[in-house]
Amino acid sequence: MKKRIVIRAFTLRRDVAAAAVLGKLLERMDCEVLIASARNFRRILKLWKPHAVLINTVTEVETCIELAPKALCVQWPGEGSEALRTSTAWYFNQHPALYEHTDLILHWGRFNAAHFEKMFPGESHEKLVHCGNPRLDLIKFNPDLVGLNSNSNSIGIVGRFNSINHHDGRPTLFSLRRMANIESVINQIQGFAAVMNVIRHLIENTNYHISIRPHPGEAPQSYIKYVKTIEPSRIQIDESLDFGAWAARQKFIAAPSSTSFLETYLQRIPFVNLDRITNSEDFIKSIQPYTVLAMKIGETPETFEHLYEFMQGDIELPGPDPEIDDHLDAAHSWFTKESAIKKNAEAIIKGIKEKSPKVGLGIPKFILEAIDDISFRRGMRKNELHENFDYKAGHHPIPAYYDDIVDNIMKGRLSTTYTDRPTPALAQPQSPNE
């Protein structure tokens, strides 16, 4: 009997791409896989009776205890380089029953492992399996991305405005219910205004096309309605699943600081950081300390005049940086020829074999998919923006080239994007306690 595995891909445009590749790899290992969203996760656990459940939102361990108590419970992190007080280890320390129920934690690297060593001193940490950042496999094992930006006429704009442009259409008023969100809202308003200035300058003074990549928590429809109309023939809104593949097609990228800078750095795509223009550097560092490393890999203009001069001049490719390479090594385990997703799959298969969960028979997969067809249509009738966040098989197409990525992972066929570490390690190791 094939082992049934559920992968809860919490965020459509952040989690589904890696989940789809992992699912395809597990299927080649004789497993049956369903990629779930917040819409159908509980129903799948209750009716399908999976042998293993992968969650990237740690609070969902409670759901596993309730609806799939015998299944292998696997924490598959959506992020792997958080500061200690926002980390999975910190949360588990505050909720020891959830940590006890979790069977495997497929962490990204020794940076994250250090959090667990601090929060659970003296333990053997057998739950921890060092795998790496699975999202980076989508560029490490995709040679077709190499060189795409060399003849590109497209400028990429990355959105980070989910507090003022919610994926489900909630107004900014929703964010302002809490005083703690005020600074974030103000920061995003300033950031969006800066992005609009960049777009207008590009339209009026260059021949570039513009591709806008909304944040996974944003509604792309707002950009289509209010931004694309500035110049419909030259502005495109990207809703694809794979950030790295989108980035590879841009001549350069302009954005506020975010974790997405790693894909641009690894592919040597010029990057323009907008934080100094919007005076948001200190705020960004306070909420996500390592995203400000993005300021080291390209232009960091302090004025729009400086920014415009850069966009009209020669654009240099970013060079290697030892601090960023340290971060990639410690937090993302990039500098290895092994696949993070393959390590994920092998750990899951091993975990199922060792636990041998007695879960019983579940409803066939095709029936669950038919039920979800109805559920998705109901969700869309209630809110046409439902599709922005919750994955639906068939509605959100999985690119055919993901099969090629799986082939490359299985054969160890690396893209030339991957290189051994080009810079020496710094003397001071990263502190995981920031």
Side-chain angles (χ1 to χ4, degrees):
M1 180 181 67
K2 290 186 176 184
K3 302 304 181 184
R4 300 183 294 275
I5 300 173
V6 175
I7 306 174
R8 186 178 188 269
F10 175 56
T11 304
L12 175 68
R13 282 175 282 116
R14 184 195 69 175
D15 301 318
V16 169
V21 174
L22 174 59
K24 286 177 178 291
L25 186 56
L26 286 166
E27 287 171 346
R28 297 195 190 188
M29 296 177 172
D30 203 33
C31 296
E32 200 171 10
V33 178
L34 272 172
I35 298 177
S37 69
R39 178 189 61 256
N40 58 9
F41 180 59
R42 291 180 63 87
R43 179 169 59 248
I44 290 173
L45 294 195
K46 184 176 181 180
L47 299 180
W48 203 41
K49 301 187 185 305
H51 296 88
V53 183
L54 276 64
I55 52 173
N56 43 30
T57 306
V58 67
T59 54
E60 291 300 329
V61 176
E62 295 182 9
T63 308
C64 294
I65 294 172
E66 176 190 354
L67 298 176
K70 295 182 179 181
L72 185 79
C73 182
V74 183
Q75 208 261 327
W76 191 57
E79 297 291 346
S81 57
E82 309 101 318
L84 178 63
R85 288 183 178 269
T86 57
S87 70
T88 296
W90 181 276
Y91 186 88
F92 274 139
N93 180 264
Q94 308 304 307
H95 302 85
L98 302 188
Y99 178 69
E100 181 66 26
H101 184 79
T102 302
D103 297 296
L104 293 176
I105 299 168
L106 307 181
H107 71 94
W108 289 9
R110 62 182 184 274
F111 173 85
N112 190 254
H115 292 332
F116 283 92
E117 291 167 1
K118 184 175 182 63
M119 291 291 95
F120 299 94
E123 293 201 11
S124 62
H125 303 294
E126 293 179 356
K127 297 175 187 276
L128 299 184
V129 182
H130 182 169
C131 295
N133 181 344
R135 293 205 293 273
L136 296 184
D137 270 14
L138 274 77
I139 60 174
K140 183 183 280 189
F141 293 93
N142 189 355
D144 293 338
L145 301 182
V146 176
L148 289 181
N149 77 319
S150 58
N151 296 315
S152 174
N153 192 45
S154 177
I155 306 304
I157 304 288
V158 180
R160 194 182 180 181
F161 311 118
N162 52 301
S163 290
I164 60 176
N165 179 31
H166 290 278
H167 65 84
D168 58 3
R170 285 174 290 182
T172 305
L173 187 67
F174 176 83
S175 300
L176 292 174
R177 296 178 306 162
R178 297 178 62 240
M179 289 289 290
N181 290 337
I182 290 177
E183 189 174 3
S184 173
V185 169
I186 292 172
N187 176 266
Q188 291 189 22
I189 290 170
Q190 293 171 332
F192 181 72
V195 162
M196 290 304 299
N197 275 331
V198 171
I199 290 171
R200 289 193 176 95
H201 177 84
L202 289 170
I203 292 297
E204 294 170 4
N205 298 282
T206 76
N207 294 318
Y208 288 132
H209 286 250
I210 299 165
S211 181
I212 301 173
R213 173 85 181 185
H215 183 276
E218 286 192 84
Q221 293 84 350
S222 299
Y223 290 95
I224 294 170
K225 185 175 182 179
Y226 299 112
V227 181
K228 183 178 175 65
T229 51
I230 295 172
E231 188 61 57
S233 65
R234 291 173 58 193
I235 298 176
Q236 179 253 345
I237 314 303
D238 182 78
E239 299 182 54
S240 65
L241 300 178
D242 188 347
F243 178 88
W246 168 81
R249 293 172 170 82
Q250 310 308 315
K251 188 175 186 65
F252 69 83
I253 289 175
S257 290
S258 74
T259 56
S260 62
F261 81 90
L262 291 174
E263 281 94 332
T264 67
Y265 173 75
L266 290 170
Q267 298 184 91
R268 298 294 183 254
I269 299 165
F271 187 85
V272 183
N273 187 287
L274 302 178
D275 288 350
R276 285 181 176 158
I277 285 180
T278 58
N279 296 314
S280 58
E281 182 179 358
D282 291 340
F283 171 71
I284 296 297
K285 188 173 183 179
S286 72
I287 58 173
Q288 288 183 307
Y290 292 106
T291 61
V292 294
L293 288 174
M295 302 192 76
K296 295 174 63 65
I297 67 171
E299 291 292 312
T300 55
E302 297 183 5
T303 67
F304 282 109
E305 289 73 22
H306 178 194
L307 172 63
Y308 300 153
E309 288 175 6
F310 164 79
M311 291 192 297
Q312 292 168 358
D314 294 331
I315 299 173
E316 297 182 3
L317 299 180
D321 182 273
E323 186 177 3
I324 296 175
D325 288 342
D326 269 4
H327 179 68
L328 279 164
D329 188 19
H332 302 270
S333 303
W334 169 259
F335 295 108
T336 170
K337 295 179 181 180
E338 295 180 279
S339 159
I341 289 177
K342 186 178 180 183
K343 286 185 174 182
N344 292 158
E346 291 171 343
I348 294 161
I349 297 297
K350 181 182 177 182
I352 293 174
K353 185 178 295 186
E354 291 179 349
K355 185 167 184 173
S356 188
K358 303 298 188 290
V359 296
L361 296 176
I363 287 177
K365 180 178 175 179
F366 75 90
I367 294 178
L368 283 171
E369 290 172 336
I371 294 172
D372 195 48
D373 286 342
I374 298 170
S375 177
F376 179 73
R377 288 197 295 269
R378 286 176 177 171
M380 291 294 289
R381 282 198 297 269
K382 290 179 181 178
N383 184 348
E384 63 182 5
L385 302 184
H386 174 75
E387 65 178 356
N388 290 337
F389 201 78
D390 295 286
Y391 171 72
K392 170 65 178 71
H395 182 81
H396 299 107
I398 301 298
Y401 70 83
Y402 284 13
D403 288 307
D404 297 330
I405 292 177
V406 175
D407 288 338
N408 293 337
I409 287 173
M410 295 182 72
K411 296 175 182 177
R413 187 186 298 127
L414 292 159
S415 166
T416 55
T417 296
Y418 174 79
T419 62
D420 293 331
R421 179 166 177 147
T423 61
L426 296 176
Q428 296 296 324
Q430 283 188 325
S431 170
N433 303 319
E434 294 185 8

